[in-house]
Amino acid sequence: MSSCLVEIDESSAVVRLTGVLDGAGAEAVRGALLARLCDRPGPVVADVSGLRVADPAGWGVFAEVRREVADWPAADLLLCDPAAGRPDHADAALAGVPTWPTLDGALAAVAAAALAAVLTIDLAPTVGAARQARELVTTGCQRWGMPTLTDPACIAITEMVNNVVAHARTPMTVRLAPQDSTLHLAVRDHSPRLPTFAGVSPPTRAGGRGLLLIDTVARRWGSSAVPDGKVVWCVLHPDDEAAMFG
């Protein structure tokens, strides 16, 4: 049984980890961090000031989570670790994870990188869900000056939402945010079944083309298993759409 305790500060971006992190506890930490990143748009700070890692490889869970959410809309993981940089610290396992020696410093970094924009809506798995999601996408593209991405983003979000309605049949959360010139979309549902893409469907097969449409309009897409469900995400780039629709 792991002796690592995870405490979530509902009023801030902080997740505190205390005790001892061993191999058995790494998956629980991963799940807790991904769940928080699902629930709260924006960066999350993992405060490991009171954490001892039994196996240096255990530090890798933080880099793994940051890679997992790299293409989610408005999501990132930062670390507060007073021991970072010491000779006996496993800094190699934390490569790429922004780290601060104090919690104040990490929170100041979060505040300095405040979200420029993010839109979120909770939807029931009903026939009208895709229409509501398209309206949100259209609003976002207009607000963020991304008119060329409106049509492809509406195609992608329609398929992502309809997959939830048809297969997961659970409530869902749609989130979108710009990042530089790209648009990031995600749909979080409460089914553990991950989507599978087997390439182009034969013309005699009815249905099954939703993921193909997403794959066609998006620069990249994927899915992440999270506690109590999954996140399906995609990234759209205006250069791709100019070539496809222009």
Side-chain angles (χ1 to χ4, degrees):
M1 183 175 180
S2 175
S3 56
C4 176
L5 178 65
V6 180
E7 298 175 90
I8 295 175
D9 184 346
E10 297 293 347
S11 64
S12 76
V14 178
V15 175
R16 291 183 177 85
L17 306 173
T18 56
V20 179
L21 176 62
D22 54 21
E27 186 59 28
V29 168
R30 174 186 178 278
L33 292 173
L34 288 176
R36 188 57 173 153
L37 285 156
C38 280
D39 294 341
R40 183 186 187 278
V44 164
V45 177
D47 181 0
V48 299
S49 304
L51 184 69
R52 183 170 70 83
V53 179
D55 180 350
W59 287 111
V61 69
F62 300 104
E64 177 192 338
V65 168
R66 190 165 191 255
R67 287 192 297 270
E68 188 75 48
V69 305
D71 284 319
W72 291 13
D76 198 3
L77 180 67
L78 288 66
L79 212 62
C80 167
D81 181 12
R86 294 179 186 175
D88 60 342
H89 197 278
D91 290 314
L94 291 173
V97 182
T99 303
W100 280 263
T102 67
L103 185 58
D104 285 346
L107 290 175
V110 170
L115 289 176
V118 62
L119 290 173
T120 301
I121 188 172
D122 294 321
L123 298 172
T126 61
V127 174
R131 175 185 53 77
Q132 292 177 272
R134 285 194 298 271
E135 290 172 353
L136 189 74
V137 165
T138 300
T139 297
C141 289
Q142 290 174 344
R143 183 176 298 176
W144 305 325
M146 297 178 158
T148 61
L149 292 180
T150 302
D151 288 344
C154 282
I155 291 171
I157 205 68
T158 295
E159 299 306 326
M160 293 161 76
V161 168
N162 281 344
N163 279 341
V164 177
V165 174
H167 302 294
R169 301 174 185 172
T170 72
M172 71 192 91
T173 300
V174 175
R175 184 190 299 175
L176 55 145
Q179 183 175 319
D180 299 323
S181 62
T182 61
L183 180 64
H184 295 238
L185 310 175
V187 178
R188 189 261 204 270
D189 66 46
H190 299 276
S191 166
R193 182 182 174 188
L194 296 177
T196 56
F197 178 51
V200 178
S201 298
T204 54
R205 179 180 171 186
R209 294 180 175 80
L211 295 178
L212 175 60
L213 285 171
I214 296 171
D215 188 66
T216 299
V217 300
R219 173 159 290 196
R220 54 189 179 274
W221 70 274
S223 60
S224 306
V226 300
D228 186 32
K230 65 179 174 293
V231 174
V232 179
W233 54 266
C234 70
V235 179
L236 294 98
H237 195 288
D239 290 349
D240 301 340
E241 314 319 324
M244 185 180 305
F245 295 97

